[in-house]
PDB file of all heavy atoms in Angstrom:
ATOM      1  N   ASN A  49      16.619 -57.930 -23.418  1.00 95.00           N
ATOM      2  CA  ASN A  49      17.015 -58.608 -22.186  1.00 95.00           C
ATOM      3  C   ASN A  49      16.644 -60.085 -22.208  1.00 95.00           C
ATOM      4  O   ASN A  49      17.422 -60.943 -21.771  1.00 95.00           O
ATOM      5  CB  ASN A  49      16.361 -57.923 -20.982  1.00 95.00           C
ATOM      6  CG  ASN A  49      16.963 -56.563 -20.695  1.00 95.00           C
ATOM      7  OD1 ASN A  49      18.151 -56.353 -20.916  1.00 95.00           O
ATOM      8  ND2 ASN A  49      16.151 -55.633 -20.212  1.00 95.00           N
ATOM      9  N   PRO A  64      25.078 -67.393 -13.086  1.00 95.00           N
ATOM     10  CA  PRO A  64      24.254 -66.551 -12.218  1.00 95.00           C
ATOM     11  C   PRO A  64      25.085 -65.478 -11.519  1.00 95.00           C
ATOM     12  O   PRO A  64      26.186 -65.775 -11.031  1.00 95.00           O
ATOM     13  CB  PRO A  64      23.663 -67.528 -11.198  1.00 95.00           C
ATOM     14  CG  PRO A  64      23.831 -68.882 -11.810  1.00 95.00           C
ATOM     15  CD  PRO A  64      25.043 -68.807 -12.669  1.00 95.00           C
ATOM     16  N   ILE A  72      16.170 -59.649   7.397  1.00 83.00           N
ATOM     17  CA  ILE A  72      14.837 -59.270   7.876  1.00 83.00           C
ATOM     18  C   ILE A  72      14.642 -59.836   9.278  1.00 83.00           C
ATOM     19  O   ILE A  72      15.149 -60.918   9.592  1.00 83.00           O
ATOM     20  CB  ILE A  72      13.727 -59.766   6.937  1.00 83.00           C
ATOM     21  CG1 ILE A  72      13.721 -61.296   6.853  1.00 83.00           C
ATOM     22  CG2 ILE A  72      13.856 -59.164   5.548  1.00 83.00           C
ATOM     23  CD1 ILE A  72      12.527 -61.866   6.124  1.00 83.00           C
ATOM     24  N   THR A 164      16.719 -85.027 -15.740  1.00 93.00           N
ATOM     25  CA  THR A 164      17.458 -85.646 -16.841  1.00 93.00           C
ATOM     26  C   THR A 164      17.925 -84.644 -17.873  1.00 93.00           C
ATOM     27  O   THR A 164      18.732 -84.985 -18.744  1.00 93.00           O
ATOM     28  CB  THR A 164      16.576 -86.706 -17.539  1.00 93.00           C
ATOM     29  OG1 THR A 164      15.363 -86.064 -17.992  1.00 93.00           O
ATOM     30  CG2 THR A 164      16.214 -87.824 -16.577  1.00 93.00           C
ATOM     31  N   ARG A 174      25.072 -74.432 -10.715  1.00 97.00           N
ATOM     32  CA  ARG A 174      25.644 -73.083 -10.650  1.00 97.00           C
ATOM     33  C   ARG A 174      24.885 -72.201  -9.657  1.00 97.00           C
ATOM     34  O   ARG A 174      25.497 -71.392  -8.951  1.00 97.00           O
ATOM     35  CB  ARG A 174      25.635 -72.450 -12.043  1.00 97.00           C
ATOM     36  CG  ARG A 174      26.648 -73.087 -12.998  1.00 97.00           C
ATOM     37  CD  ARG A 174      26.610 -72.455 -14.374  1.00 97.00           C
ATOM     38  NE  ARG A 174      27.567 -73.096 -15.272  1.00 97.00           N
ATOM     39  CZ  ARG A 174      27.695 -72.806 -16.568  1.00 97.00           C
ATOM     40  NH1 ARG A 174      26.916 -71.870 -17.111  1.00 97.00           N
ATOM     41  NH2 ARG A 174      28.579 -73.434 -17.308  1.00 97.00           N
ATOM     42  N   ALA A 242       5.432 -90.651  20.701  1.00 98.00           N
ATOM     43  CA  ALA A 242       5.901 -89.334  20.260  1.00 98.00           C
ATOM     44  C   ALA A 242       7.337 -89.078  20.701  1.00 98.00           C
ATOM     45  O   ALA A 242       8.147 -88.512  19.947  1.00 98.00           O
ATOM     46  CB  ALA A 242       4.975 -88.250  20.808  1.00 98.00           C
ATOM     47  N   THR A 265      10.249 -77.304  18.515  1.00 97.00           N
ATOM     48  CA  THR A 265       9.923 -78.729  18.422  1.00 97.00           C
ATOM     49  C   THR A 265       9.393 -79.185  19.780  1.00 97.00           C
ATOM     50  O   THR A 265      10.107 -79.125  20.784  1.00 97.00           O
ATOM     51  CB  THR A 265      11.161 -79.550  18.023  1.00 97.00           C
ATOM     52  OG1 THR A 265      11.631 -79.087  16.749  1.00 97.00           O
ATOM     53  CG2 THR A 265      10.811 -81.023  17.936  1.00 97.00           C
ATOM     54  N   ARG A 294     -10.886 -75.392  22.853  1.00 94.00           N
ATOM     55  CA  ARG A 294     -11.718 -74.184  22.808  1.00 94.00           C
ATOM     56  C   ARG A 294     -13.184 -74.593  22.703  1.00 94.00           C
ATOM     57  O   ARG A 294     -13.507 -75.700  22.259  1.00 94.00           O
ATOM     58  CB  ARG A 294     -11.308 -73.265  21.661  1.00 94.00           C
ATOM     59  CG  ARG A 294     -11.539 -73.825  20.288  1.00 94.00           C
ATOM     60  CD  ARG A 294     -11.112 -72.837  19.197  1.00 94.00           C
ATOM     61  NE  ARG A 294      -9.672 -72.778  19.008  1.00 94.00           N
ATOM     62  CZ  ARG A 294      -8.946 -71.684  19.189  1.00 94.00           C
ATOM     63  NH1 ARG A 294      -9.518 -70.567  19.601  1.00 94.00           N
ATOM     64  NH2 ARG A 294      -7.634 -71.706  18.979  1.00 94.00           N
TER      65      ARG A 294
END
Side-chain angles (χ1 to χ4, degrees):
N49 289 327
I72 62 171
T164 57
R174 289 179 181 176
T265 300
R294 66 180 77 241

